[in-house]
Amino acid sequence: TQLLEQSPQFLSIQEGENLTVYCNSSSVFSSLQWYRQEPGEGPVLLVTVVTGGEVKKLKRLTFQFGDARKDSSLHITAAQPGDTGLYLCAGPTNTGNQFYFGTGTSLTVIP
Amino acid sequence: NAGVTQTPKFRVLKTGQSMTLLCAQDMNHEYMYWYRQDPGMGLRLIHYSVGEGTTAKGEVPDGYNVSRLKKQNFLLGLESAAPSQTSVYFCASRDPNQPQHFGDGTRLSIL
């Protein structure tokens, strides 16, 4: 059983379309992180959200942390082929020493 | 991913063989982590270390051992490899309250 569930698992869209991916849990997290991983590489941190209801923007990417701090979403506007990759969410344990990772959303943007 | 180097990048083993994966970081980070990544499972923590000479179990530690004799190195050992350990292994490092930096992974196949 995964503590963090992501949906959808796979997403294939045309360039220019908008999309939203989700990261859900039944547990409360002090913060959630979003990573992007490209083939053959390790995950790279995109953003950390720390306050319930917080919205952060990174160019065409908008991240939101749920009010109850149990879920988060990533919205991409006008997707580009360079957005292709595996998107992972992660949350810390109570001690902050370890992280739980979500199941991942594999995004393909078709030119 | 400059800063975290994993060796080797690829390896094929036979069931029952042993091997050691090396992770080296040059950022003087306190914490280091070993994860495995399997399709549809995201990243799962195997073992981690919060300082030189310390190690702790993560979510899936069985069949693996680790050592952190030097601050910059974190070794992951498989004493008797099993096909279920076929995976992509990622090492990460960070300082407290800072993001994780990942290596590019070791692709391990057990036949």
Side-chain angles (χ1 to χ4, degrees):
Chain A
T1 303
Q2 296 280 143
L3 198 61
L4 287 166
E5 294 286 345
Q6 290 185 243
S7 61
Q9 186 175 359
F10 298 98
L11 188 56
S12 181
I13 62 171
Q14 295 289 328
E15 181 176 0
E17 293 183 346
N18 302 331
L19 67 115
T20 302
V21 299
Y22 301 92
C23 173
N24 295 298
S25 178
S26 58
S27 300
V28 176
F29 285 92
S30 59
S31 64
L32 280 178
Q33 300 175 335
W34 283 94
Y35 291 81
R36 180 168 65 213
Q37 183 180 16
E38 299 189 13
E41 299 182 6
V44 176
L45 181 69
L46 295 173
V47 77
T48 302
V49 286
V50 297
T51 305
E54 180 179 7
V55 176
K56 280 191 174 180
K57 292 190 175 183
L58 186 65
K59 297 183 180 179
R60 294 175 294 99
L61 279 60
T62 302
F63 304 86
Q64 185 163 8
F65 200 11
D67 290 342
R69 291 184 287 128
K70 292 183 178 182
D71 54 81
S72 181
S73 63
L74 159 59
H75 181 80
I76 301 179
T77 303
Q80 298 178 0
D83 296 326
T84 293
L86 179 67
Y87 289 82
L88 295 160
C89 64
T93 60
N94 290 337
T95 63
N97 291 341
Q98 307 174 53
F99 290 84
Y100 296 110
F101 276 80
T103 47
T105 292
S106 179
L107 172 65
T108 301
V109 182
I110 303 166
Chain B
N1 290 328
V4 179
T5 303
Q6 293 185 229
T7 309
K9 296 188 184 306
F10 304 93
R11 185 73 184 267
V12 178
L13 289 178
K14 294 181 179 180
T15 298
Q17 288 185 319
S18 63
M19 79 160 297
T20 300
L21 280 64
L22 172 63
C23 177
Q25 52 99 0
D26 60 5
M27 296 170 283
N28 202 37
H29 286 166
E30 289 294 328
Y31 296 0
M32 296 188 75
Y33 302 83
W34 275 109
Y35 294 91
R36 60 177 290 172
Q37 185 173 37
D38 303 292
M41 301 290 288
L43 289 163
R44 292 182 293 169
L45 183 64
I46 303 171
H47 287 280
Y48 67 101
S49 168
V50 297
E52 180 179 324
T54 74
T55 63
K57 294 181 180 180
E59 184 183 355
V60 288
D62 294 343
Y64 305 94
N65 57 75
V66 289
S67 64
R68 183 119 183 253
L69 298 179
K70 294 183 178 181
K71 186 176 184 179
Q72 64 267 33
N73 295 337
F74 196 28
L75 279 63
L76 177 70
L78 286 73
E79 290 187 347
S80 180
S84 61
Q85 294 177 304
T86 292
S87 188
V88 183
Y89 291 85
F90 285 97
C91 175
S93 71
R94 72 180 184 112
D95 275 329
N97 301 314
Q98 296 298 316
Q100 296 180 86
H101 296 258
F102 284 85
D104 285 339
T106 294
R107 284 140 189 87
L108 182 62
S109 294
I110 315 295
L111 304 179

